[in-house]
Each structure stands twice: as structure tokens, then as C-alpha cells.
Amino acid sequence: MRITGGMMITTLLADLRRAQERLSTYQNRLASGKQVQRPSDDPVATVDSLRLRARLAEVDRLRANAEDARDWLEITDSALDRATQILQRARELAIRAASGTLPDSSLDAIAAEVQQLRDHLLEVANTTLGDAYIFGGLATQQPPYVADPASATGVAYQGINGPVEREVAPGTTVAVNVPGDAAFDPAFDALGQMAAALAARDLPTVGGAVVAALDDAIDGLLRFRAEVGAKVNRIELGLYRLDEIRIDTERLLSGVEDADIAETAMRLSVSEAAYRAALMAGARIVQPTLMDFLR
Amino acid sequence: MRSTFFGLELARLGLWAQQRALDVTGHNIANANTEGYSRQVARLSPTPAYAPPSLAMAAEAGQVGTGVQVAEIQRVRDLFLDRQARDLKAHLGRWQVRSQTLAELETILGEPSDAGLARALADFWDALATVANRPDSLPARTAAIQQAHTLLERFQTADRQLADLADNLDASLVARVDRVNQILVQMADLHRRIRVATAAGQTPNDLLDERDRLLEELGTLLPVRVTERPDGTVRVEVAGLPLVDGQVVHRLAVQEEPAGGAGGGGTGSGTSGGLVVRIYWDGTATVPASATPQAVSGPGASGGAAAAFIPLDDTVLDGGEIDGLLEARDRLVAGLRQDLKALFFALADAVNAVHRQGYGLNDGPPAGSGQQGAGRDLFVVGSGSDLQQVVVNPELDDPANLAAAQMPGAPGDGRNALAMVQLRHAPLNLPGSPSAQDYLESVVAGLGIAGRQAEEGQRTAQLLLDQVAAQRESVRGVSLDEEMTQLIRYQHAYAAAARLVTAVDTMLGILIERTGVVGR
């Protein structure tokens, strides 16, 4: 092959261009810390990265939902616990009152305490999480129970029953609310009966029907607490699983997107050396011609 | 019988030929770095020998050479390599345009990053999920509606950027068609001068070089087919249509036409409204008077009734920057625009369908029986074909109107918002029933694969071109070492021929001055 000066220069320029391209690729990777900067760098990795990012966002959202659901359920549980304690206190009072050995003044004191317990139960039934009432069903903005002198129990329920749902896994929802009327109506009812029986000094009823009603109300609350507890367990498990998914996804995403710093740095220095060598060779090749040796 | 001064004449021819060869060498050296220059070689040949054969010839030993002449100044060229280089340049031109356009599309899409469409989509779902958890919270509702605005804006911005890109490609097309017409006129002019020179028995090497340089430039723009003619001119065709043949030129014309209208174009050129540039081959043959380029006219402008205007689009052309630009505009840009539009409208339809079923904070039960929901759209899509017309329902400026509830008058009901969130995995009304995320992924993947392919295509074409260029340079390039050697060679031959003059002179001197002096 006939070699001309122009050829050598063209070849040299092409080689330098290629060496520079490689150099700049690795420099970019090292500077950004990212393996993939544009879809064409690696289409498959790009799609993986998009999918993993979407999954991360979803997992974060589901975690937030699950944590919110857990908060809601835990507050529900503690409210139901307080309600149970209130009813148990009422039961103790009912049994003491029914013993028939108490003077009138004590019975009056018991009646006053029952009034107190009912007010307390009203507070519990109107528990809020943030500014949302948790026992009002879908009516979260108004207290589910209001004092109502006209009713036998002294309170009226004004919630809208319906499930308050949280998505805790893709497509899976959990109803986090306990319907207030189902949980508290028997309780208010029993306390109402007790107040009425005490006022009438009908001690056998206090010891019989009222205690039975209180027991039923307590049983009802316990059933709801068991349900809430089961849901909390399920959500805890779900959260644990979501944490695992999150860690896995993070790891995969890093593997897809992030540049291997050590490897990239090594490649960078190799391509730098190649570039230097090309420059040096160029400087040598281009110099001598026949002219240098003619006199 | 030879002349007495035969030797002088012979020496003169020698001097003259070596000098011309030296001039050719000098011309090569002077043009060592001239783009498109082919080295020239003076082909020397002996002049006809003395004497011509004849029956009446005196008996004399053989014929005697009479000297040397420059038979031809050859242009060293390999036509096959020239054609290969032209074809490769056409390929490279197309890949380059493709690759550049795809790089811009990737920038417009902005994936993978925290600022792309995928992110806006994820944020939209997330904001709706917050509303599903806190349907009674006005700040959460406002945030979700803002996120709907952001999502729409991301789509609209991408759409607008794509439209701008198509306009830029149109401007590039017009500029390149102008350049093609300039080249055609310049070539016709060169052909006139080449013809004159060839008719006078000369080889106009430098004009031919200039013509070939123009041909090569034309080759990067269009996939041309070149036929050499004996008179030194060429016929240039594109897609079987003559562009220039000798001095006859068929110009290209551009015309702005409604997008997707007559005149062919790619399948994906269904841009809504707007004008796109189309290219036509002008059937009217012209012989330009001078090399001054004339204004490009549209098909309607020249008014020749019989003149045929044949559209040139990317289905007809195969290679060249113009083909690349057409393809980029009609397939890549229009295709991505179409994809994004389809995605947004399918998504908006799905979201609207759910949103219509729900109730805002202040909505009562619907008037008609068997009706469900307040019937409000989240995105008002207008004609459903133009992204720029879409708005987020202005009724949602009041965040209470976001239909988060499935039950009227239940502020704590977030079930409809949850139903909207769950659309993130729902199949959309698009071919293959993908989810929004799937569709976006496939668009990005398609773009990435095309981009990678274009880069590889460009690299391969560049590599092949580098090789062919090296081979061609090997054939036609000026090697200074070689020229220096030639210089010395001709210099020595010249000196020797001069010495011959001296020798003959001395001989004649002896004959004239020293003979016949006997007995003087």
C-alpha cells in the first residue's frame, strides 16, 4: 500500500478522536457516578432503572399508607382499651351497688361517677387522629357522638358508616376503622341503663340486667380489639416485607444505574494512557520527511 | 537522412518534457493539502522513431529514437473507491442526522432522571394516594391538583419541544435543498468548461477534481447515482430521476404543506395542524446561464403546465442527510410525539372515567336516578387530539371539587381517590393494553434502542469511510517523499538533457570550427 502524508494525518486524527471519545465516556461516568445517562447508553438498563424507580416510589407510598394504617389502628386499639376500662369500672360499681349494703349517699356518689364515666366514654368515642375522628366512619370531620338529652343513652351517633381504606400492598386494601356505633352503642346503652336503674334504686336490675349488658358491651369491644390487633399484626408483617423489597430494589437500582467507581477509574486511566500514546506516536510519525535528509 | 541538428532537437524535447514533468510534480506538491485533489502524473512517451518504415529506405541499422514527449497528464483515481466513498458518505450522513435527532429526543424525554415524565407520573399517583388517606384535607387535595398540573405540563412541554425540533429539521431541510440546487448549478457550469477543454483535446484535471468534490458533497446530501460520460461530464440521478446531465439541470423544489396531506411522507407524520416542508423534483429542465444560484421555487411557482413535480420522501430516498432529516422528522419526532400524545390521552381518559364516578366535598347525590358520581372530569381534553388544548378542569381550582369520595357528603371517604391511584397498574386503552408505566418504559426503550442502533450505524459507516478514505488517499493522495524523489529524478534528467545540448554543441563546434583547416 502506498502511504501518503495525508493518510497518516487522517488515520492519526481518527485514532485521536476515538481515544478522546473513550476518555470522555469514562470521565462522564466517573464524574456523575452513573453508568447510564441516556437511554441509548444501555436501553435494557434504562428500562430496568425506570421500573425500579417506579417500584421504589410505590413501595415508599405503600409504606406510608401502612404506617398511617398502623397509627390509625393503634389509636383505635388504645381508645377501645380505655373504653373497656371505663366499662369495667362501671361493672365494679354496678356489683358494689347491687350488694344492697350501701347507704343512699354512696349510691348517689356511684350515680355521679357513672355520669362521669359516660362523659369520659363520649370523649373516647370522639377520639381523633390528627384532626380526623376515627369512629365516625366516612364522616371524619365531625364528632361521631354528640350529647343528646332527648335520647335514652344521652348521646346520638351521627357518623356515616363505611370503610376507611388504606392500600397496604399493590391492589390490597385494609379497612382501618371500627364502626363507632357498633362499638360504642352497647356501651352507652349499658351506662344509660345503669344510670336509670340507679336513679330508680332498682338494685336487682343493676346487679342483673345492667351487669349483663356491661359484659356484652365489654365482649363487643374485645372482639373489635382482637380484629384490630390482627390487622396490626398483618400490617406489621407487610411493613417488614415492604422494607425487604425496598432494600432489594435499592440494591438492584444501584447495580443498574451506578458506575463501578474502581473499574471506571481504572478504565479511565487505561484510556488516558492510550490517548497519550496516540499523541506521542503522532508527534513522532508526522515529523521526518525526505526533505530532512536532502541537501 | 537525419538532420545535422537532430541531436539538438532531441535534447530540446528532453529538456522540455522533463521541465513539464517537474511542473506537474510542483503542482502536486503545491496541492498536497488541497481537499479532493488527485495527484497528477506526467506520462512520458517517446516521440515517433526516425525513420518511418519504407521500402525505399537506405540500408541503415534500425530506427532511431527522436526524443520524448509528455503524452498525457493523468489524474490518478480509482472510480470504484470514489463510488464507495460517495455511498458511505450518504449512509454516514443519514446515520449522523438520525443519531443527532435521537440524542435530542432523549434529552427532551429526560429519562432516566428525577425530572422526567416517569417521575411526574409517580408523583401524581403519590399525591392522589395522600388524598385517598386524607380525603378531608384541603392541602392534600391542593397538592394532588398541582401534581395533575405538573404532569400535564411535562407532557405539554415535551410536545412543544418536539414540535420545535420538527421545525428546526424543516429549516435544515430547506437549507440543504438550497445547497443541492447551488451544487447542481455549479456542476452544470463546470461541465460547460470541461466540455470546452475536452473538445480542445485537453484533460482538465483540476476542473474534474472540482467536479468530483462537488459530487461528493452532493453525495452526503442525497443518495446519488453517477454515470460518467466520454466527454468528461457526468449524469447524476437520484431515485432514478436526473438531477444534472451535462449542462441540463433539474432543480429540487420545496413547498410547505399541511402535515399529513398529499405528497406522501412517513407513516408517523400525523402532526396536528401546522405546515411541514416537502421536497419535489422539478421536471422542468433548465440550462443555467451562469453559476449564480437561483431562488428555490415551489411546485406552484414556475407554472409550467407540463412540468411534472415528483415528491421525494424518505420512502424514495435511501441515504443522505436529506433522507435522514425527513426520516427524523416524519418517523422519529412525529412518532415520539404520537406516542406521548396517545399515552396522555389514554391516561386522562382512564382517570376521568373514575373521577366522574366520584364526589367532591360539596357534592350532593346526583339528580338523575341510576347515575353515579358528580360527573366532573379531572382533565378537560378538548378535541382529544391536541395536547396543548388540554387543561386541568378549572372547577378543580377549588380543591373541594376533587372527587375523592364514592359516597356523596362523606368527607372521610377517599375510596374514589384510591380507585384513581389503582389505575397506575390498570391496563390503558392502548395497543397491547399496557399500564402507563409499561407504555412509558416501552417508549423509552424504543428510543434507547434506536439511539444505540444509530450510534452504531454511524460508527460503522465512519469506520468504513475511514478505511475507504485511506485506500483512496493511498491511490490519489500526494506523498511528499515520492514527489521529492520525482523532483530529483526530473531535475537530474533535465541536467542530463542540458548536458546533451552541450555535447551536441561541442560536436558541431568541432565540425564547424575545426574541420577543413588542413593546409590552411
Side-chain angles (χ1 to χ4, degrees), chain A residues 1-7 14 17-18 36-41 43 46-47 49-51 53-54 57-58 61-62 65 68 72 129 132 138-141 160-161 163-167 170-171 173 257 289-291 294, chain B residues 39 103 106 111-114 118 126 129-130 132-134 136 407 409-413 415 418 421-422 424-425 437 441 444-445 448-449 451-452 455 462-463 466 470-471 473-475 477-479 481-482 484-485 488:
Chain A
M1 195 170 178
R2 191 174 161 268
I3 304 291
T4 69
M7 252 168 99
R17 193 187 61 216
R18 275 193 287 274
V36 181
Q37 286 175 318
R38 300 138 45 97
S40 55
D41 288 346
T46 306
V47 170
S49 130
L50 279 182
R51 187 167 303 147
R53 278 163 182 263
E58 189 178 350
R61 164 44 59 187
L62 293 173
N65 290 351
D68 183 79
W72 186 293
L129 172 67
L138 300 180
T140 51
Q141 288 300 79
I160 303 171
N161 278 341
V164 172
E165 289 177 333
R166 295 287 181 268
E167 190 180 29
T173 57
E257 277 190 349
T289 73
L290 188 58
M291 251 90 75
L294 287 175
Chain B
R39 76 191 159 103
E106 286 180 335
E111 300 291 356
S113 77
D114 285 330
D126 200 63
T130 309
N133 290 352
R134 294 272 173 278
D136 48 15
M407 189 189 281
D413 185 359
R415 284 176 293 175
L418 187 58
V421 175
Q422 284 174 340
R424 73 188 188 281
H425 291 302
Q437 175 74 21
E441 277 167 16
V444 172
I449 290 167
R452 172 141 258 224
E455 261 167 44
Q462 182 72 57
L463 214 64
D466 284 351
Q471 281 175 30
E473 186 63 21
S474 164
V475 172
V478 176
S479 158
D481 291 350
E482 194 179 275
M484 288 309 292
T485 319
I488 293 159

Side-chain angles (χ1 to χ4, degrees), chain A:
Chain A
M1 195 170 178
R2 191 174 161 268
I3 304 291
T4 69
M7 252 168 99
M8 288 198 291
I9 289 169
T10 317
T11 317
L12 177 67
L13 284 178
D15 286 345
L16 285 179
R17 193 187 61 216
R18 275 193 287 274
Q20 271 175 326
E21 265 171 31
R22 267 199 300 277
L23 205 59
S24 115
T25 307
Y26 293 125
Q27 257 164 359
N28 271 343
R29 276 190 199 167
L30 208 58
S32 67
K34 294 281 177 213
Q35 185 86 14
V36 181
Q37 286 175 318
R38 300 138 45 97
S40 55
D41 288 346
D42 188 342
V44 178
T46 306
V47 170
D48 283 350
S49 130
L50 279 182
R51 187 167 303 147
L52 292 170
R53 278 163 182 263
R55 194 196 289 171
L56 262 191
E58 189 178 350
V59 165
D60 283 348
R61 164 44 59 187
L62 293 173
R63 271 167 49 98
N65 290 351
E67 278 167 7
D68 183 79
R70 190 179 55 184
D71 287 352
W72 186 293
L73 289 167
E74 279 174 353
I75 285 227
T76 305
D77 186 55
S78 85
L80 294 178
D81 183 37
R82 270 156 63 211
T84 315
Q85 284 170 16
I86 289 167
L87 293 184
Q88 262 158 0
R89 175 68 186 152
R91 191 175 181 281
E92 282 169 27
L93 293 174
I95 288 171
R96 207 192 308 165
S99 67
T101 58
L102 292 179
D104 261 10
S105 59
S106 296
L107 288 176
D108 285 346
I110 287 176
E113 193 175 345
V114 168
Q115 188 60 43
Q116 292 278 322
L117 288 176
R118 209 203 52 191
D119 289 351
H120 196 182
L121 187 66
L122 184 64
E123 247 170 58
V124 170
N126 287 340
T127 301
T128 56
L129 172 67
D131 54 0
Y133 292 94
I134 59 172
F135 291 112
L138 300 180
T140 51
Q141 288 300 79
Q142 51 186 11
Y145 282 96
V146 286
D148 179 10
S151 96
T153 54
V155 292
Y157 180 69
Q158 54 175 13
I160 303 171
N161 278 341
V164 172
E165 289 177 333
R166 295 287 181 268
E167 190 180 29
V168 294
T172 310
T173 57
V174 171
V176 294
N177 64 323
V178 167
D181 52 352
F184 291 100
D185 274 359
F188 282 117
D189 206 36
L191 288 182
Q193 280 181 38
M194 185 170 170
L198 280 173
R201 292 290 188 266
D202 180 0
L203 295 184
T205 307
V206 172
V210 167
V211 169
L214 283 170
D215 281 346
D216 281 353
I218 289 170
D219 277 357
L221 287 177
L222 285 177
R223 267 202 306 282
F224 280 119
R225 284 192 68 190
E227 195 185 311
V228 166
K231 278 181 183 169
V232 169
N233 280 344
R234 184 174 142 205
I235 285 167
E236 295 274 1
L237 273 178
L239 270 173
Y240 180 71
R241 175 93 195 94
L242 285 174
D243 281 343
E244 277 184 339
I245 295 178
R246 186 165 212 294
I247 291 166
D248 275 359
T249 312
E250 288 269 23
R251 191 172 47 73
L252 288 172
L253 188 62
S254 161
V256 166
E257 277 190 349
D258 295 350
D260 181 335
I261 300 292
E263 190 195 325
T264 311
M266 212 186 67
R267 283 178 191 271
L268 178 66
S269 60
V270 168
S271 53
E272 208 175 337
Y275 181 53
R276 273 171 187 284
L279 281 177
M280 215 155 67
R284 290 248 173 93
I285 289 167
V286 174
Q287 231 155 35
T289 73
L290 188 58
M291 251 90 75
D292 298 333
F293 304 98
L294 287 175
R295 304 260 159 240

Side-chain angles (χ1 to χ4, degrees), chain B residues 120-180:
Chain B
L121 196 60
D123 287 349
F124 177 62
W125 300 131
D126 200 63
L128 277 177
T130 309
V131 174
N133 290 352
R134 294 272 173 278
D136 48 15
S137 155
L138 286 182
R141 287 167 170 265
T142 309
I145 291 161
Q146 278 313 313
Q147 215 54 63
H149 280 288
T150 306
L151 179 65
L152 174 62
E153 269 160 29
R154 284 289 301 145
F155 272 95
Q156 282 175 336
T157 307
D159 186 62
R160 206 169 311 119
Q161 283 174 320
L162 289 173
D164 287 350
L165 184 54
D167 285 348
N168 285 346
L169 292 174
D170 271 352
S172 303
L173 267 179
V174 172
R176 279 175 174 74
V177 170
D178 280 352
R179 181 65 193 139
V180 166

Side-chain angles (χ1 to χ4, degrees), chain B residues 118-268:
Chain B
R119 182 79 224 178
L121 196 60
D123 287 349
F124 177 62
W125 300 131
D126 200 63
L128 277 177
T130 309
V131 174
N133 290 352
R134 294 272 173 278
D136 48 15
S137 155
L138 286 182
R141 287 167 170 265
T142 309
I145 291 161
Q146 278 313 313
Q147 215 54 63
H149 280 288
T150 306
L151 179 65
L152 174 62
E153 269 160 29
R154 284 289 301 145
F155 272 95
Q156 282 175 336
T157 307
D159 186 62
R160 206 169 311 119
Q161 283 174 320
L162 289 173
D164 287 350
L165 184 54
D167 285 348
N168 285 346
L169 292 174
D170 271 352
S172 303
L173 267 179
V174 172
R176 279 175 174 74
V177 170
D178 280 352
R179 181 65 193 139
V180 166
N181 287 333
Q182 269 177 20
I183 291 175
L184 295 182
V185 172
Q186 282 174 0
M187 278 185 68
D189 186 51
L190 275 172
H191 277 161
R192 186 178 55 76
R193 287 155 62 194
I194 288 169
R195 255 188 194 149
V196 171
T198 318
Q202 295 172 327
T203 36
N205 287 328
D206 296 330
L207 293 179
L208 291 173
D209 269 357
E210 177 65 12
R211 204 262 329 274
D212 286 347
R213 201 184 56 71
L214 286 176
L215 257 184
E216 221 154 273
E217 194 185 336
L218 194 60
T220 63
L221 296 166
L222 286 168
V224 290
R225 187 91 7 255
V226 178
T227 321
E228 304 253 351
R229 295 233 189 268
D231 62 356
T233 66
V234 292
R235 174 185 167 90
V236 181
E237 287 175 1
V238 63
L241 302 167
L243 288 179
V244 59
D245 190 358
Q247 284 164 259
V248 180
V249 166
H250 288 272
R251 285 193 177 79
L252 296 185
V254 290
Q255 171 143 303
E256 284 203 320
E257 286 174 13
T267 48

